Amino acid sequence: LFFRGKAIIQLKPLGGYIVSSFLKFIARLLFAALFIVSGIGKLLDPASVESYMASKGLMYTQPLLYISALLEIVGGLFLLVGLWPRVVATLLTVFLFIVTFKMHNFWAVPASESGKEMVDFLQNLGILGGLLYIIATGGGAFGMTKEPKNRQK
C-alpha cells in the first residue's frame, strides 16, 4: 500500500514448501467437509433428493442417490486424510462436472427457478476449479500419499 508515493505496507508473497503444503492441507479439509456433509445430507433425506433427481429427468434415482452419496463421503474422507488426492480429485471432478450440467441447467428451467440454479451452477464451477488445482498440484506434504517435492509446486 502506498501513501503519498511511499510504501507504507509491503506485502511479501507466501512461499516455501511447508507453507504451501499447510495451505493445501487446509484446502483439503475444506473440500472434505463440503463433500462429506453433502453426502451425509443425501442419506438423511433421500426422499427429497430422489424427488429432485426425478424432476431433472433422471431415472434409477435410488441407486444414483446412494452411489453419489458414497462417492461424496468416501471421496471427502480420502481428501481429508490426503490419500490419493489427485486420483480422488479427478473422480470428484468427473462426478461434479456431470452433476453441474445435468442438475443445475439454469438455461433450461422456468425463470422462477433459474436464479437458484445459476447460483448452484456457479458454485459448482468454483468447486471444480479447486479440484482441478488439487489435480494439478497434488495434496501437499500433510497427507497419507507423499509426492516428491519437485512435483508439489
Side-chain angles (χ1 to χ4, degrees), residues 64-75:
L64 286 175
L65 164 77
Y66 291 110
I67 290 168
S68 63
L70 181 69
L71 179 61
E72 288 178 333
I73 293 168
V74 172

Side-chain angles (χ1 to χ4, degrees), residues 7-151:
I8 54 173
I9 299 176
Q10 288 184 316
L11 301 175
K12 295 184 179 180
L14 292 174
Y17 178 70
I18 298 299
V19 172
S20 174
S21 288
F22 179 72
L23 292 175
K24 288 178 184 179
F25 171 69
I26 298 299
R28 279 195 349 254
L29 292 180
L30 296 173
F31 270 103
L34 175 88
F35 285 106
I36 293 168
V37 169
S38 178
I40 291 171
K42 285 176 177 57
L43 297 177
L44 292 177
D45 190 11
S48 68
V49 176
E50 282 186 63
S51 173
Y52 179 66
M53 293 168 84
S55 77
K56 293 295 185 169
L58 293 178
M59 297 172 44
Y60 312 110
T61 56
Q62 189 174 29
L64 286 175
L65 164 77
Y66 291 110
I67 290 168
S68 63
L70 181 69
L71 179 61
E72 288 178 333
I73 293 168
V74 172
L77 290 172
F78 276 37
L79 283 179
L80 180 70
V81 299
L83 184 60
W84 305 316
R86 290 176 189 224
V87 173
V88 171
T90 301
L91 292 173
L92 289 172
T93 297
V94 171
F95 165 73
L96 194 58
F97 184 83
I98 294 166
V99 167
T100 299
F101 284 91
K102 180 63 180 168
M103 302 299 288
H104 303 300
N105 53 346
F106 63 91
W107 56 89
V109 298
S112 61
E113 299 173 26
S114 65
K116 180 197 177 311
E117 293 297 345
M118 180 186 270
V119 168
D120 291 342
F121 181 88
L122 293 172
Q123 286 175 345
N124 282 6
L125 289 184
I127 296 165
L128 284 167
L131 289 170
L132 291 173
Y133 192 78
I134 292 173
I135 294 167
T137 64
F142 304 115
M144 294 180 70
T145 301
K146 299 292 184 209
E147 295 181 11
K149 281 187 181 183
N150 61 353
R151 287 192 63 194

